[in-house]
Amino acid sequence: QVHLVESGGGLVQPGGSLRLSCAASGRTLDHSIIGWFRQAPGKEREGVSCISATDGSTSYSDSVLGRFTISRDNAKNTVYLQMNSLKPEDTGVYYCAVDYFYSVCRLSMSYWGKGTLVTVSS
């Protein structure tokens, strides 16, 4: 019903910044919850940030709070993740996900993109 495509990943030095984009097509993101997740090599997927398209409320994991910012552009049907002060432990594949039933982000979100790789290294 909705197709998600992430972009903006790449190689960045510690302390640098990147902005990831999640473009949705096929269905509007209104009345949905949208989350960013990441998976490091050999590790389990974990939640990073979440935003409600209904009221604009946001949430962040403790490890990224104060460094990352999630936002949306309703006209473009796109969600962003601004990542500042990047650390090597931020390295991994970043995914966006969408759900139209629940009001909070969770690992069992209904729709997922294929991910974009972020590497933080000197």
PDB file of all heavy atoms in Angstrom, residues 70-91:
ATOM      1  N   ILE A  70      14.182  14.336  14.162  1.00  0.00           N
ATOM      2  CA  ILE A  70      13.270  13.802  13.159  1.00  0.00           C
ATOM      3  C   ILE A  70      12.276  14.890  12.770  1.00  0.00           C
ATOM      4  O   ILE A  70      11.840  15.680  13.615  1.00  0.00           O
ATOM      5  CB  ILE A  70      12.550  12.538  13.675  1.00  0.00           C
ATOM      6  CG1 ILE A  70      11.778  11.840  12.553  1.00  0.00           C
ATOM      7  CG2 ILE A  70      11.623  12.863  14.843  1.00  0.00           C
ATOM      8  CD1 ILE A  70      11.241  10.459  12.947  1.00  0.00           C
ATOM      9  N   SER A  71      11.917  14.949  11.486  1.00  0.00           N
ATOM     10  CA  SER A  71      10.976  15.949  10.999  1.00  0.00           C
ATOM     11  C   SER A  71      10.252  15.407   9.772  1.00  0.00           C
ATOM     12  O   SER A  71      10.616  14.354   9.242  1.00  0.00           O
ATOM     13  CB  SER A  71      11.681  17.265  10.668  1.00  0.00           C
ATOM     14  OG  SER A  71      12.624  17.086   9.628  1.00  0.00           O
ATOM     15  N   ARG A  72       9.230  16.146   9.314  1.00  0.00           N
ATOM     16  CA  ARG A  72       8.482  15.712   8.148  1.00  0.00           C
ATOM     17  C   ARG A  72       8.120  16.894   7.262  1.00  0.00           C
ATOM     18  O   ARG A  72       8.015  18.036   7.730  1.00  0.00           O
ATOM     19  CB  ARG A  72       7.201  14.970   8.564  1.00  0.00           C
ATOM     20  CG  ARG A  72       6.128  15.873   9.172  1.00  0.00           C
ATOM     21  CD  ARG A  72       4.970  15.054   9.723  1.00  0.00           C
ATOM     22  NE  ARG A  72       3.820  15.885  10.045  1.00  0.00           N
ATOM     23  CZ  ARG A  72       3.704  16.598  11.162  1.00  0.00           C
ATOM     24  NH1 ARG A  72       4.678  16.604  12.065  1.00  0.00           N
ATOM     25  NH2 ARG A  72       2.602  17.314  11.380  1.00  0.00           N
ATOM     26  N   ASP A  73       7.926  16.617   5.968  1.00  0.00           N
ATOM     27  CA  ASP A  73       7.442  17.582   4.992  1.00  0.00           C
ATOM     28  C   ASP A  73       6.192  16.960   4.375  1.00  0.00           C
ATOM     29  O   ASP A  73       6.292  16.085   3.512  1.00  0.00           O
ATOM     30  CB  ASP A  73       8.500  17.876   3.933  1.00  0.00           C
ATOM     31  CG  ASP A  73       8.089  18.975   2.974  1.00  0.00           C
ATOM     32  OD1 ASP A  73       6.884  19.160   2.744  1.00  0.00           O
ATOM     33  OD2 ASP A  73       8.992  19.667   2.450  1.00  0.00           O
ATOM     34  N   ASN A  74       5.026  17.397   4.821  1.00  0.00           N
ATOM     35  CA  ASN A  74       3.781  16.788   4.368  1.00  0.00           C
ATOM     36  C   ASN A  74       3.559  16.962   2.864  1.00  0.00           C
ATOM     37  O   ASN A  74       3.023  16.068   2.205  1.00  0.00           O
ATOM     38  CB  ASN A  74       2.594  17.376   5.132  1.00  0.00           C
ATOM     39  CG  ASN A  74       2.594  16.987   6.595  1.00  0.00           C
ATOM     40  OD1 ASN A  74       3.268  16.037   7.004  1.00  0.00           O
ATOM     41  ND2 ASN A  74       1.826  17.705   7.401  1.00  0.00           N
ATOM     42  N   ALA A  75       3.960  18.105   2.310  1.00  0.00           N
ATOM     43  CA  ALA A  75       3.773  18.363   0.885  1.00  0.00           C
ATOM     44  C   ALA A  75       4.557  17.377   0.027  1.00  0.00           C
ATOM     45  O   ALA A  75       4.125  17.006  -1.064  1.00  0.00           O
ATOM     46  CB  ALA A  75       4.161  19.797   0.543  1.00  0.00           C
ATOM     47  N   LYS A  76       5.735  16.953   0.510  1.00  0.00           N
ATOM     48  CA  LYS A  76       6.576  16.014  -0.224  1.00  0.00           C
ATOM     49  C   LYS A  76       6.365  14.565   0.211  1.00  0.00           C
ATOM     50  O   LYS A  76       6.993  13.663  -0.342  1.00  0.00           O
ATOM     51  CB  LYS A  76       8.046  16.380  -0.061  1.00  0.00           C
ATOM     52  CG  LYS A  76       8.421  17.725  -0.658  1.00  0.00           C
ATOM     53  CD  LYS A  76       9.902  18.009  -0.492  1.00  0.00           C
ATOM     54  CE  LYS A  76      10.286  19.332  -1.120  1.00  0.00           C
ATOM     55  NZ  LYS A  76      11.731  19.634  -0.952  1.00  0.00           N
ATOM     56  N   ASN A  77       5.517  14.352   1.222  1.00  0.00           N
ATOM     57  CA  ASN A  77       5.264  13.008   1.752  1.00  0.00           C
ATOM     58  C   ASN A  77       6.587  12.341   2.141  1.00  0.00           C
ATOM     59  O   ASN A  77       6.834  11.169   1.840  1.00  0.00           O
ATOM     60  CB  ASN A  77       4.501  12.156   0.734  1.00  0.00           C
ATOM     61  CG  ASN A  77       3.553  11.166   1.386  1.00  0.00           C
ATOM     62  OD1 ASN A  77       3.003  11.414   2.457  1.00  0.00           O
ATOM     63  ND2 ASN A  77       3.350  10.021   0.734  1.00  0.00           N
ATOM     64  N   THR A  78       7.438  13.094   2.843  1.00  0.00           N
ATOM     65  CA  THR A  78       8.790  12.669   3.168  1.00  0.00           C
ATOM     66  C   THR A  78       9.103  12.950   4.632  1.00  0.00           C
ATOM     67  O   THR A  78       8.678  13.973   5.179  1.00  0.00           O
ATOM     68  CB  THR A  78       9.811  13.390   2.276  1.00  0.00           C
ATOM     69  OG1 THR A  78       9.569  13.048   0.907  1.00  0.00           O
ATOM     70  CG2 THR A  78      11.237  12.988   2.629  1.00  0.00           C
ATOM     71  N   VAL A  79       9.852  12.047   5.254  1.00  0.00           N
ATOM     72  CA  VAL A  79      10.323  12.193   6.629  1.00  0.00           C
ATOM     73  C   VAL A  79      11.848  12.229   6.612  1.00  0.00           C
ATOM     74  O   VAL A  79      12.482  11.516   5.829  1.00  0.00           O
ATOM     75  CB  VAL A  79       9.813  11.052   7.519  1.00  0.00           C
ATOM     76  CG1 VAL A  79      10.410  11.134   8.916  1.00  0.00           C
ATOM     77  CG2 VAL A  79       8.292  11.098   7.605  1.00  0.00           C
ATOM     78  N   TYR A  80      12.446  13.044   7.490  1.00  0.00           N
ATOM     79  CA  TYR A  80      13.888  13.226   7.538  1.00  0.00           C
ATOM     80  C   TYR A  80      14.443  12.857   8.910  1.00  0.00           C
ATOM     81  O   TYR A  80      13.745  12.903   9.921  1.00  0.00           O
ATOM     82  CB  TYR A  80      14.257  14.682   7.245  1.00  0.00           C
ATOM     83  CG  TYR A  80      13.727  15.198   5.931  1.00  0.00           C
ATOM     84  CD1 TYR A  80      12.528  15.904   5.878  1.00  0.00           C
ATOM     85  CD2 TYR A  80      14.420  14.974   4.745  1.00  0.00           C
ATOM     86  CE1 TYR A  80      12.035  16.375   4.675  1.00  0.00           C
ATOM     87  CE2 TYR A  80      13.927  15.442   3.542  1.00  0.00           C
ATOM     88  CZ  TYR A  80      12.740  16.145   3.505  1.00  0.00           C
ATOM     89  OH  TYR A  80      12.252  16.612   2.309  1.00  0.00           O
ATOM     90  N   LEU A  81      15.727  12.513   8.928  1.00  0.00           N
ATOM     91  CA  LEU A  81      16.463  12.317  10.170  1.00  0.00           C
ATOM     92  C   LEU A  81      17.780  13.082  10.057  1.00  0.00           C
ATOM     93  O   LEU A  81      18.676  12.665   9.324  1.00  0.00           O
ATOM     94  CB  LEU A  81      16.727  10.839  10.444  1.00  0.00           C
ATOM     95  CG  LEU A  81      17.408  10.534  11.783  1.00  0.00           C
ATOM     96  CD1 LEU A  81      16.459  10.853  12.940  1.00  0.00           C
ATOM     97  CD2 LEU A  81      17.856   9.078  11.858  1.00  0.00           C
ATOM     98  N   GLN A  82      17.874  14.210  10.755  1.00  0.00           N
ATOM     99  CA  GLN A  82      19.103  14.993  10.800  1.00  0.00           C
ATOM    100  C   GLN A  82      19.996  14.424  11.891  1.00  0.00           C
ATOM    101  O   GLN A  82      19.598  14.369  13.052  1.00  0.00           O
ATOM    102  CB  GLN A  82      18.797  16.469  11.077  1.00  0.00           C
ATOM    103  CG  GLN A  82      20.028  17.357  11.179  1.00  0.00           C
ATOM    104  CD  GLN A  82      20.777  17.489   9.872  1.00  0.00           C
ATOM    105  OE1 GLN A  82      20.166  17.718   8.829  1.00  0.00           O
ATOM    106  NE2 GLN A  82      22.092  17.335   9.917  1.00  0.00           N
ATOM    107  N   MET A  83      21.206  14.006  11.531  1.00  0.00           N
ATOM    108  CA  MET A  83      22.129  13.367  12.461  1.00  0.00           C
ATOM    109  C   MET A  83      23.368  14.242  12.610  1.00  0.00           C
ATOM    110  O   MET A  83      24.103  14.451  11.638  1.00  0.00           O
ATOM    111  CB  MET A  83      22.513  11.973  11.967  1.00  0.00           C
ATOM    112  CG  MET A  83      21.319  11.072  11.669  1.00  0.00           C
ATOM    113  SD  MET A  83      21.797   9.369  11.264  1.00  0.00           S
ATOM    114  CE  MET A  83      22.712   9.659   9.746  1.00  0.00           C
ATOM    115  N   ASN A  84      23.607  14.745  13.819  1.00  0.00           N
ATOM    116  CA  ASN A  84      24.759  15.583  14.126  1.00  0.00           C
ATOM    117  C   ASN A  84      25.653  14.902  15.149  1.00  0.00           C
ATOM    118  O   ASN A  84      25.237  13.982  15.849  1.00  0.00           O
ATOM    119  CB  ASN A  84      24.303  16.944  14.665  1.00  0.00           C
ATOM    120  CG  ASN A  84      23.474  17.732  13.685  1.00  0.00           C
ATOM    121  OD1 ASN A  84      23.685  17.665  12.474  1.00  0.00           O
ATOM    122  ND2 ASN A  84      22.519  18.500  14.202  1.00  0.00           N
ATOM    123  N   SER A  85      26.893  15.381  15.259  1.00  0.00           N
ATOM    124  CA  SER A  85      27.858  14.854  16.227  1.00  0.00           C
ATOM    125  C   SER A  85      27.943  13.339  16.160  1.00  0.00           C
ATOM    126  O   SER A  85      27.904  12.639  17.174  1.00  0.00           O
ATOM    127  CB  SER A  85      27.489  15.312  17.644  1.00  0.00           C
ATOM    128  OG  SER A  85      27.441  16.718  17.733  1.00  0.00           O
ATOM    129  N   LEU A  86      28.082  12.812  14.962  1.00  0.00           N
ATOM    130  CA  LEU A  86      28.049  11.370  14.749  1.00  0.00           C
ATOM    131  C   LEU A  86      29.236  10.669  15.409  1.00  0.00           C
ATOM    132  O   LEU A  86      30.344  11.196  15.449  1.00  0.00           O
ATOM    133  CB  LEU A  86      28.013  11.059  13.261  1.00  0.00           C
ATOM    134  CG  LEU A  86      26.646  11.280  12.607  1.00  0.00           C
ATOM    135  CD1 LEU A  86      26.779  11.363  11.096  1.00  0.00           C
ATOM    136  CD2 LEU A  86      25.694  10.154  12.991  1.00  0.00           C
ATOM    137  N   LYS A  87      28.972   9.475  15.918  1.00  0.00           N
ATOM    138  CA  LYS A  87      29.953   8.640  16.597  1.00  0.00           C
ATOM    139  C   LYS A  87      30.118   7.325  15.846  1.00  0.00           C
ATOM    140  O   LYS A  87      29.207   6.900  15.141  1.00  0.00           O
ATOM    141  CB  LYS A  87      29.506   8.354  18.031  1.00  0.00           C
ATOM    142  CG  LYS A  87      29.193   9.588  18.868  1.00  0.00           C
ATOM    143  CD  LYS A  87      28.627   9.193  20.222  1.00  0.00           C
ATOM    144  CE  LYS A  87      28.293  10.407  21.058  1.00  0.00           C
ATOM    145  NZ  LYS A  87      27.722  10.025  22.375  1.00  0.00           N
ATOM    146  N   PRO A  88      31.268   6.647  15.994  1.00  0.00           N
ATOM    147  CA  PRO A  88      31.437   5.350  15.334  1.00  0.00           C
ATOM    148  C   PRO A  88      30.334   4.352  15.665  1.00  0.00           C
ATOM    149  O   PRO A  88      29.959   3.548  14.799  1.00  0.00           O
ATOM    150  CB  PRO A  88      32.800   4.870  15.847  1.00  0.00           C
ATOM    151  CG  PRO A  88      33.545   6.135  16.116  1.00  0.00           C
ATOM    152  CD  PRO A  88      32.507   7.093  16.652  1.00  0.00           C
ATOM    153  N   GLU A  89      29.797   4.389  16.875  1.00  0.00           N
ATOM    154  CA  GLU A  89      28.740   3.466  17.254  1.00  0.00           C
ATOM    155  C   GLU A  89      27.402   3.759  16.579  1.00  0.00           C
ATOM    156  O   GLU A  89      26.454   2.986  16.722  1.00  0.00           O
ATOM    157  CB  GLU A  89      28.560   3.430  18.783  1.00  0.00           C
ATOM    158  CG  GLU A  89      28.391   4.796  19.423  1.00  0.00           C
ATOM    159  CD  GLU A  89      29.694   5.335  19.997  1.00  0.00           C
ATOM    160  OE1 GLU A  89      30.738   5.241  19.319  1.00  0.00           O
ATOM    161  OE2 GLU A  89      29.675   5.856  21.133  1.00  0.00           O
ATOM    162  N   ASP A  90      27.304   4.870  15.842  1.00  0.00           N
ATOM    163  CA  ASP A  90      26.113   5.152  15.044  1.00  0.00           C
ATOM    164  C   ASP A  90      26.126   4.404  13.712  1.00  0.00           C
ATOM    165  O   ASP A  90      25.136   4.451  12.977  1.00  0.00           O
ATOM    166  CB  ASP A  90      25.989   6.653  14.764  1.00  0.00           C
ATOM    167  CG  ASP A  90      25.730   7.466  16.025  1.00  0.00           C
ATOM    168  OD1 ASP A  90      24.929   7.028  16.873  1.00  0.00           O
ATOM    169  OD2 ASP A  90      26.327   8.556  16.149  1.00  0.00           O
ATOM    170  N   THR A  91      27.211   3.730  13.393  1.00  0.00           N
ATOM    171  CA  THR A  91      27.338   3.007  12.129  1.00  0.00           C
ATOM    172  C   THR A  91      26.292   1.897  12.013  1.00  0.00           C
ATOM    173  O   THR A  91      26.033   1.168  12.977  1.00  0.00           O
ATOM    174  CB  THR A  91      28.746   2.411  12.002  1.00  0.00           C
ATOM    175  OG1 THR A  91      29.703   3.465  11.894  1.00  0.00           O
ATOM    176  CG2 THR A  91      28.861   1.519  10.776  1.00  0.00           C
TER     177      THR A  91
END
